[in-house]
Amino acid sequence: MEAAGIGWIAAIIIGGIAGWLAEKFMKSNMGVFMNILLGIVGAIVANAILAIFGIVLTGWLGYLIAGFVGACILIAIARAFRR
């Protein structure tokens, strides 16, 4: 998160928004805590994947995009294991 240029409070807020957007996009039903967790962990996962390709997202907008993409990936993986 420090590499993205945001603090912990902003990470929680942006992570919650990213998780909520991913929840709506993937038509999933999760709670507020899970949305925040998905957004933060999703941002970490997406940034790691993007770093492999040499793409770096910074700032709150980059963190939001990475969180959304990562949360969607995590929801898709969870759905695959449930079936």
Side-chain angles (χ1 to χ4, degrees):
M1 284 172 276
E2 286 80 23
I6 60 170
W8 284 100
I9 302 293
I12 291 170
I13 294 168
I14 296 168
I17 294 168
W20 178 78
L21 289 171
E23 176 187 53
K24 297 302 178 190
F25 181 75
M26 298 291 288
K27 294 181 177 68
S28 178
N29 188 15
M30 305 202 179
V32 173
F33 178 73
M34 197 61 177
N35 285 342
I36 294 170
L37 189 64
L38 277 173
I40 293 172
V41 174
I44 294 168
V45 169
N47 278 326
I49 293 170
L50 291 173
I52 293 171
F53 297 107
I55 300 170
V56 178
L57 300 176
T58 60
W60 67 270
L61 185 59
Y63 194 81
L64 180 66
I65 292 168
F68 172 74
V69 170
C72 287
I73 291 170
L74 292 175
I75 291 171
I77 289 171
R79 284 183 181 169
F81 279 112
R82 282 190 201 163
R83 293 182 184 169

